[in-house]
Amino acid sequence: MNPQHLNILILFIVMLIIIVGVFVYVYRTSLPRNTEGSGQSGLSNPNQKRFLFFVILAAVLVILLTATLPKTPYYYFANEEPAKVVFVVARQFSFAMSYQSGKPGTPPPNEAIELPAGKTVEFRVTSNDVNHGFAIYDTQNQLIVQTQAMPGYVNRLRWKFEQPGHYSIRCLEFCGAAHAFMESSFLVK
Amino acid sequence: MAELKHKRVLSLWILTVFLLFVASIIMGILMRLTQGNAMKMDVSGFFEIMTVHGATMIGIWFVAGMASVHYLLHRYVRVTTWINLFAMVFTVIGVVMLWCAAFIGKFHAGWTFLYPLPLFVAWKHWATPVFLSALGVLSVGWLVWSVGMLVAIFKKYTLQQAFGWQYFKKVHQVDTPPFILITVVTLIGIVACLLTALLLLGLFFSEIASGNKLVHDALLMKNLTYFFGHTVANEILYLCLATLYELLPEVSGRPKWKNSWYIALAWNATMIFILFAFFHHMYMDFVQPEAMQVIGQLASYFASLPAVAVTLFSVLAFVFKNSIRWTTTNLLFFLGTMGWIIGGVGAVIDSTISANVFLHNSLWVPAHFHTYLAMGSVLMSLAFFNWVVFDFYNQSEPEKISRLQIILLLIGGFGFLLMFYLGGAYSIPRRFNVYPSQLSIGSALALAAAAFAVVYLIAIILINIRIVKRCIKIFSSASS
Ligand code: HEM
Ligand SMILES: [Cu+2]
C-alpha cells in the first residue's frame, strides 16, 4: 500500500473506532443500572452542545476543503511542458497507445510506449466505443492516478514518473464482459 | 377498515422485499465467491448477476422505504391504498422484466446502464429494450406513488407548512410534524430523479428508434445517469429517517420529537445539497467544467453537516443518560444510524477530489454504499417492519432481539464491509469478475467477505423469522 492509500485507510479506521466507541458509550449510559439513582437524566443544555458540535464539524469540513481542493488532478504539472505526449484510444477490450494521434475513420495507431523517468508526460485519453477507465498502476500494483476514457471527449492527464519500471494500465469503468481483462502497460526508463 | 387494508398491503410488501432480499444476498455471496476463485461462473453470468443484484437491492429497499412512509402517512393525511397497490403491480412487473432481460436475455450492462454500453449489444437483441422498459415501468409506478403521496400531503398542509418555513418566523400557529417535513423533502428529490430517469430512457429509445443515427453526448448522459442513480440510492436512507423521527421516541415510551427552526433548516438544506452531490461521480472526467467538480465536493461535504448536527446529534442526545426501554425496533434504529454515519464517513472521504483519484471505481465505492445501505437503511427498514407487525395487535413487542443475533449481524455485516474497504485501499477495482494475478490480494479479501456475508445472511434470517410469520398471519387473517 502506498502512503496515500494508507493514510486514507487509517483516517477511515480511526473515524470508525470513534463512531463505534461513541455509540457503545451512549448506549451504555441508557441502561437502567446506569440511569437509576444518578440523579440526572439526559443531556444538559442540549441546544448549546448541538451548536458547539455543529461549529466544530463545520470547521473541520472547511479545513479539509481548503487543504484538499487545491490538490485536484486537473492541474497536475500544469505549468510544465510535457516531454512526451501519448495518445490513448480505448475500445472494447484494449488500449491503443501511440506518440501519434490517429486519423478519424482509421484504426488508432498502436505502439510500445517508453517514457522518460522524472519528466512530465501527458496522456490524451479517449474512447472509440463505450466509456472506459484509464488507471495507471505503479510497479507495486498500486493505483497512482487515473482518468476516464469517454467517447467524443479527450481527457488530458499529466504525470511525472519517478520510478523506472513496468507500469500497468487497467480499465476502471465497466465496459462489458471482458472488462477485467482489459489492460496494457508501458515502460519508464 | 381502512387501517386493516393498509396493513395487508404493507405485509405483502414486506414479504416481497424479504424474499427478494434473501435471493439478492445469495447473488452477492456468489459474486464474492467467484472473485475469490472458489467457484467458476461464466463472464456474462457474473455481470448478469451483478446487474440484477444492484437493481433489485436498490429497488426493494426503495419500495420498503416508500411503503413505510406511505403507511405512517395515514396518521396525518388521507392516503388511498390504491396508489400503493398500483405501485406494487408496477414494481412486480418491472422486476420480472428486469430479471428476464438479465437471466434469459443475458443483458449485463449494470444497473446504472451507463450510455452507450446498453446499445453495444452483447446479448439477445430484445434484452436492451426490455431492460430499459423495465426501468421505465418502475419509474412510472414510483412516480405515481410519490406524486400521490405529495398531493395527499399538500391537501392538508400549505407549501410553506410542508417545508416547515413557518419555523423561521417568530410566531407560528400550525405545527408540521418532522415526519411530514422529511417525507416532503425526500419525495421531491425522488420525483426529480425519477423524471430524470424517464428523460434518460427517452433519449435511449430515441437513439434505438433512429437506428443508432442520433448520437447523444456521452458526458451529458453520464451526468443524467448519476443524477438519477446517485440520488435515488441516497433518498432511500432519507425515507428511513422519516420513519425514525416518527417512531424512535414513540417506541421508547417518550414524547414525540417536535419540529423546530434548526430541523426545518437542516432538511431544507439537505434537499438542495443532495441534488448537487452527484457531480462527484464525474470527478475523473477531466473535461467536465471545473466549477461542477468543485460544487460536487462542496455539496457532498456540506450534505453531511445537517445530517450529523441535527439527526445524529438528536439520536445520540435522545439515548444519552436517558433510561430507554430497548426493544428490537429502537435498537435496530440505533444501529442503523451508526451504519449510516460510518458509511457517510467513507463517502465523504471518497467525495474528496484528491482522494477520489485513488478511490474512484475501486472497491471503496461498493464499500461505502453497502455500509449505509446494508448496515444503515436495511436495519432501519427492519426496525419499521418489526414495529408494524407487532403494532397490529396493539401488543407490546415480545422479547427483544437476542444478543446472539446482534453479534452475528454486526460481525457478519462489518466483516463483509471491511473486506471491501481493504480492497479499495489495495487499489482493487470494482466490477471485476476475477482479479488479475498482480491483484491477487483481492481474491483473498473476496473469500473472507463471502464467509462474513454468510454470517450476515444468517443473522438477517434469524431476525426476520418473527416478522415474516406475523406478515403471513396478518395477510391471511384479513382475507378469511
Ligand atoms: C451481505 C449482503 C450483500 C452482499 C454479499 C453483496 C455483494 C455485492 C457484490 C460482490 C457486489 C459487486 C462488487 C463489485 O463491484 O465487485 C455488489 C454490488 C452492489 N450491491 Fe451488494 N451485496 C450485499 C448487500 C447489498 C445491499 C443491502 C444493497 C442495497 C440495498 C446492495 C446493493 C448493491 C449495488 C447497488 C451494487 C452495485 C452493482 C453494480 O456495480 O452495478 N448490496 N454487492
Ligand atoms: Cu472496462
Side-chain angles (χ1 to χ4, degrees):
Chain A
M1 224 180 269
N2 68 24
Q4 289 102 329
H5 285 89
L6 192 63
N7 287 344
I8 289 172
L9 186 65
I10 290 174
L11 175 66
F12 177 74
I13 301 275
V14 168
M15 291 298 295
L16 175 79
I17 292 170
I18 294 175
I19 295 168
V20 173
V22 168
F23 271 79
V24 169
Y25 170 70
V26 169
Y27 174 75
R28 292 175 62 90
T29 65
S30 79
L31 296 178
R33 65 178 131 84
N34 296 327
T35 48
E36 273 160 24
S38 68
Q40 71 191 113
S41 74
L43 194 62
S44 53
N45 277 333
N47 276 348
Q48 191 189 336
K49 295 207 170 87
R50 185 194 300 274
F51 183 68
L52 200 67
F53 190 57
F54 174 85
V55 170
I56 293 173
L57 189 72
V60 169
L61 286 179
V62 169
I63 291 170
L64 281 176
L65 275 169
T66 42
T68 60
L69 270 179
K71 295 199 196 135
T72 62
Y74 318 121
Y75 296 115
Y76 285 167
F77 312 105
N79 301 324
E80 292 174 32
E81 216 27 59
K84 284 250 169 118
V85 175
V86 180
F87 296 86
V88 182
V89 180
R91 65 237 156 131
Q92 286 175 324
F93 297 94
S94 63
F95 296 96
M97 292 198 284
S98 170
Y99 302 112
Q100 255 85 55
S101 73
K103 289 189 186 61
T106 59
N110 191 13
E111 56 192 307
I113 300 294
E114 265 185 28
L115 298 172
K119 296 221 169 95
T120 300
V121 294
E122 180 173 303
F123 297 92
R124 297 192 187 163
V125 185
T126 188
S127 164
N128 249 355
D129 41 39
V130 300
N131 287 297
H132 297 277
F134 178 81
I136 302 176
Y137 279 68
D138 67 8
T139 49
Q140 316 297 315
N141 294 309
Q142 291 293 303
L143 201 177
I144 47 174
V145 72
Q146 63 171 313
T147 188
Q148 293 282 116
M150 182 178 266
Y153 286 93
V154 178
N155 286 316
R156 294 179 183 218
L157 168 68
R158 286 193 179 177
W159 196 249
K160 201 181 264 177
F161 298 96
E162 302 296 350
Q163 296 290 324
H166 274 282
Y167 286 72
S168 336
I169 292 164
R170 295 182 197 288
C171 174
L172 285 208
E173 187 65 59
F174 178 59
C175 58
H179 166 59
F181 306 98
M182 180 167 165
E183 57 174 289
S184 185
S185 67
F186 58 85
L187 191 66
V188 171
K189 281 217 251 203
Chain B
M1 288 246 335
E3 179 86 9
L4 187 68
K5 241 163 90 188
H6 278 296
K7 273 182 180 139
R8 286 193 63 201
V9 181
L10 188 70
S11 57
L12 202 58
W13 272 122
I14 296 177
L15 291 172
T16 318
V17 165
F18 185 60
L19 199 73
L20 290 173
F21 188 36
V22 171
S24 306
I25 293 180
I26 293 173
M27 287 185 225
I29 294 172
L30 292 179
M31 283 192 279
R32 281 319 244 162
L33 286 173
T34 309
Q35 291 170 330
N37 299 325
M39 60 176 278
K40 275 221 170 335
M41 219 192 284
D42 70 88
V43 184
S44 159
F46 180 92
F47 291 117
E48 286 156 29
I49 286 188
M50 186 189 83
T51 305
V52 170
H53 169 87
T56 310
M57 284 291 200
I58 294 291
I60 58 178
W61 295 107
F62 175 78
V63 295
M66 290 284 281
S68 314
V69 162
H70 187 117
Y71 180 84
L72 288 174
L73 258 186
H74 88 250
R75 290 178 159 191
Y76 300 103
V77 299
R78 283 177 55 90
V79 276
T80 56
T81 43
W82 79 261
I83 45 168
N84 202 344
L85 281 169
F86 176 88
M88 186 180 297
V89 171
F90 271 59
T91 303
V92 170
I93 296 175
V95 168
V96 169
M97 284 169 70
L98 220 139
W99 284 46
C100 286
F103 289 142
I104 304 174
K106 311 236 167 269
F107 179 88
H108 56 262
W111 81 278
T112 47
F113 61 104
L114 188 58
Y115 178 87
L117 187 57
L119 303 174
F120 281 69
V121 177
W123 36 79
K124 300 241 163 54
H125 270 275
W126 54 264
T128 296
V130 169
F131 181 85
L132 297 175
S133 308
L135 294 181
V137 169
L138 294 175
S139 302
V140 169
W142 298 345
L143 200 57
V144 170
W145 202 4
S146 314
V147 172
M149 285 196 249
L150 279 175
V151 167
I153 294 173
F154 284 123
K155 273 190 186 145
K156 176 156 169 198
Y157 299 91
T158 65
L159 197 67
Q160 302 210 350
Q161 291 163 356
F163 287 105
W165 291 340
Q166 74 270 35
Y167 293 99
F168 303 144
K169 296 191 200 113
K170 273 225 163 63
V171 283
H172 59 266
Q173 270 95 41
V174 184
D175 264 318
T176 312
F179 171 75
I180 294 290
L181 167 70
I182 302 171
T183 300
V184 167
V185 161
T186 308
L187 288 178
I188 285 182
I190 289 171
V191 168
C193 66
L194 291 178
L195 286 175
T196 309
L198 289 175
L199 169 67
L200 195 56
L201 293 171
L203 291 173
F204 265 99
F205 277 113
S206 72
E207 180 154 338
I208 294 175
S210 74
N212 294 3
K213 276 192 226 58
L214 198 97
V215 178
H216 299 298
D217 183 290
L219 186 59
L220 174 68
M221 294 294 269
K222 189 172 181 183
N223 275 285
L224 291 176
T225 300
Y226 283 107
F227 181 76
F228 156 69
H230 173 84
T231 313
V232 82
N234 265 250
E235 301 285 5
I236 292 176
L237 203 119
Y238 296 145
L239 290 169
C240 296
L241 288 181
T243 67
L244 180 149
Y245 272 74
E246 178 72 12
L247 292 180
L248 181 61
E250 186 175 317
V251 296
S252 313
R254 300 268 297 283
K256 260 201 160 121
W257 284 351
K258 288 231 166 46
N259 215 334
S260 66
W261 67 268
Y262 56 82
I263 294 184
L265 184 63
W267 283 97
N268 278 275
T270 299
M271 179 170 66
I272 307 296
F273 289 139
I274 191 76
L275 297 182
F276 292 99
F278 79 99
F279 282 133
H280 59 222
H281 283 269
M282 267 66 64
Y283 284 162
M284 292 302 114
D285 291 285
F286 294 4
V287 284
Q288 171 105 321
E290 207 203 338
M292 283 147 115
Q293 313 285 27
V294 174
I295 291 173
Q297 184 169 342
L298 290 175
S300 309
Y301 268 54
F302 287 125
S304 65
L305 257 185
V308 171
V310 174
T311 306
L312 171 65
F313 190 88
S314 297
V315 170
L316 291 176
F318 174 75
V319 173
F320 183 69
K321 285 194 178 164
N322 280 314
S323 71
I324 300 278
R325 189 172 61 90
W326 285 104
T327 64
T328 309
T329 305
N330 52 17
L331 198 57
L332 284 173
F333 271 131
F334 190 67
L335 290 174
T337 307
M338 183 174 86
W340 165 47
I341 296 299
I342 294 171
V345 169
V348 168
I349 294 176
D350 194 16
S351 70
T352 309
I353 302 174
S354 55
N356 191 259
V357 176
F358 305 110
L359 301 177
H360 186 76
N361 280 350
S362 75
L363 283 182
W364 195 276
V365 180
H368 86 258
F369 74 70
H370 276 89
T371 314
Y372 76 70
L373 290 169
M375 294 305 281
S377 56
V378 168
L379 301 194
M380 294 187 196
S381 279
L382 291 182
F384 173 82
F385 291 173
N386 190 74
W387 170 79
V388 79
V389 295
F390 291 105
D391 179 61
F392 180 70
Y393 295 102
N394 289 327
Q395 51 177 231
S396 54
E397 285 179 38
E399 85 287 3
K400 89 171 194 222
I401 188 169
S402 77
R403 187 175 284 248
L404 176 74
Q405 289 171 5
I406 294 282
I407 289 174
L408 287 181
L409 183 73
L410 292 179
I411 291 183
F414 283 110
F416 159 71
L417 293 167
L418 200 59
M419 298 306 126
F420 268 155
Y421 283 107
L422 284 173
Y426 277 108
S427 309
I428 312 294
R430 75 182 284 202
R431 294 174 157 181
F432 269 31
N433 56 323
V434 291
Y435 298 118
S437 56
Q438 297 96 316
L439 300 177
S440 59
I441 185 148
S443 315
L445 295 172
L447 263 192
F452 282 117
V454 171
V455 176
Y456 176 84
L457 176 61
I458 293 171
I460 287 289
I461 291 176
L462 289 178
I463 294 171
N464 274 284
I465 288 176
R466 299 187 307 169
I467 300 179
V468 166
K469 275 194 192 145
R470 282 298 170 115
C471 279
I472 295 174
K473 216 167 171 179
I474 292 172
F475 193 67
S476 48
S477 75
S479 58
S480 62

